[in-house]
Amino acid sequence: MDMETARTFLEAATAGSFVAAAERLHVTQSTVSTRIRHLEDQLGCQLFVRNKNGAMLTAAGVRFQRHAIAMLRLWEQARQEAALPIGHRALLRIGSEAGLWNRMLNRWIPWMRRNAEDIALRCEVGLADDLLQRLRDGTLDLAVLYSPRAVPGLAVRLLLEEDLVLVRVRPAPSAGGDHYVLIDWSDEFQRSIRLRNPELLSTPLSIGVGTLGLDYVRQCGGTGHFPRSLVQPMLDQGVGEVVPEAHPFSLPIYAVHPAEPDVSVLETAFEGLRAILGSDEVTGNSQQGADAQ
């Protein structure tokens, strides 16, 4: 079985549809169907039940899924470690959403270079679903995310749960008014806003990266929800104030990794995270698959 066939099988299993799998893989639906049919011929069993609503794994497909994940991950690990820089014992590939690099992981990289010089680093920025896909494919070892969905074969560990506070900064004289700035912290935050304060969704300004949103509020004024640790220096300087809320929001941060990782390398990464977060919460146990949520 070639690796493209393995990727196609896993994508179809996750999407529940050959059409959706074809869109994600940027191939035709007939290509997906042909690859799956050839794989079923090789294995001598049916992997999917096809119907007008999509494609569901059979019992044989469910059993094969974990082996496909393991094969793809092993191949990617072997391919990248073959090109490991001289003098390094391992490669750690880490990805995160942009806002978390700006807030946290930009301090983690220097810690790793000082304390784990024999571990080469590959650092990526991406969207949550893309990073989860890369973890499953074996092209990432660790991802730090706000609200990961449950994916078979991946384990999720709570790193930190921050308080989100509503901060108001008086608008500058030339600014466009004292309006709410909606920050896309996570899917869970968006759902909570929709349930508790749906009127805030009509704001004229929405920003996807929290640090950019905070820069705007500092410069132009307005209100927005931000992690207390991020805004505390600004509040200490007398810039802005916290608006009390009856039901405060929280913002959990998670680390996601394969269920069977390279423990020695991963624990070094978590040691660095503990150091920069100054919190023992990073040592919490991992949870796998659907239990992670």
Side-chain angles (χ1 to χ4, degrees):
M1 181 181 67
D2 63 80
M3 293 303 106
E4 285 305 315
T5 299
R7 287 191 180 90
T8 302
F9 166 79
L10 291 172
E11 198 61 64
T14 300
S17 162
F18 287 6
V19 174
E23 291 176 352
R24 295 183 184 182
L25 293 168
H26 306 292
V27 298
T28 63
Q29 182 184 349
S30 62
T31 298
V32 172
S33 298
T34 299
R35 290 175 182 175
I36 298 299
R37 186 169 60 252
H38 287 169
L39 179 58
E40 290 176 329
D41 290 342
Q42 287 179 307
L43 294 172
C45 61
Q46 186 177 356
L47 300 174
F48 290 93
V49 175
R50 288 84 156 170
N51 54 50
K52 63 181 181 180
N53 295 322
M56 294 180 58
L57 286 175
T58 63
V62 172
R63 290 193 295 269
F64 179 70
Q65 185 177 33
R66 64 186 181 90
H67 296 293
I69 292 171
M71 284 187 288
L72 193 59
R73 184 173 296 126
L74 182 61
W75 164 251
E76 291 294 345
Q77 183 178 353
R79 185 177 66 83
Q80 295 205 23
E81 288 187 0
L84 192 65
I86 296 174
H88 292 75
R89 67 178 176 89
L91 170 67
L92 177 64
R93 301 157 299 175
I94 181 172
S96 183
E97 297 166 86
L100 283 167
W101 277 116
N102 292 340
R103 295 189 47 229
M104 183 173 75
L105 292 175
N106 61 339
R107 292 179 286 130
W108 174 84
I109 296 175
W111 187 97
M112 289 291 292
R113 299 309 302 147
R114 290 192 304 269
N115 297 278
E117 293 182 353
D118 58 345
I119 297 178
L121 300 177
R122 298 287 184 273
C123 304
E124 306 284 346
V125 176
L127 300 175
D129 283 349
D130 293 336
L131 295 171
L132 290 172
Q133 179 66 44
R134 293 192 57 187
L135 282 169
R136 194 183 65 171
D137 289 348
T139 58
L140 274 184
D141 304 302
L142 179 64
V144 181
L145 306 169
Y146 283 121
S147 57
R149 58 183 172 84
V151 176
L154 299 181
V156 179
R157 183 183 299 198
L158 177 65
L159 292 178
L160 182 68
E161 187 157 9
E162 297 187 290
D163 293 329
L164 283 179
V165 294
L166 183 61
V167 173
R168 173 182 291 128
V169 177
R170 292 184 180 277
S174 59
D178 184 11
H179 52 255
Y180 179 78
V181 178
L182 179 63
I183 307 297
D184 186 10
W185 290 113
S186 68
D187 291 342
E188 182 61 34
F189 174 72
Q190 294 279 6
R191 283 192 291 269
S192 297
I193 285 288
R194 192 173 295 110
L195 288 172
R196 300 185 200 174
N197 308 96
E199 71 281 359
L200 297 180
L201 297 175
S202 61
T203 177
L205 181 59
S206 176
I207 298 179
V209 180
T211 50
L212 295 181
L214 183 59
D215 286 343
Y216 172 84
V217 170
R218 283 184 64 110
Q219 293 179 49
C220 302
T223 59
H225 284 95
F226 299 97
R228 181 176 288 277
S229 62
L230 184 63
V231 298
Q232 194 59 54
M234 183 178 81
L235 298 174
D236 292 342
Q237 296 168 8
V239 179
E241 61 180 349
V242 173
V243 179
E245 294 184 284
H247 303 286
F249 294 93
S250 64
L251 182 65
I253 299 173
Y254 299 92
V256 188
H257 57 81
E260 299 179 0
D262 183 333
V263 176
S264 64
V265 174
L266 199 63
E267 285 308 315
T268 301
F270 279 111
E271 183 183 350
L273 289 170
R274 284 194 294 270
I276 65 168
L277 291 175
S279 170
D280 291 334
E281 290 182 75
V282 215
T283 61
N285 293 328
S286 300
Q287 295 176 294
Q288 295 184 24
D291 294 336
Q293 295 295 304

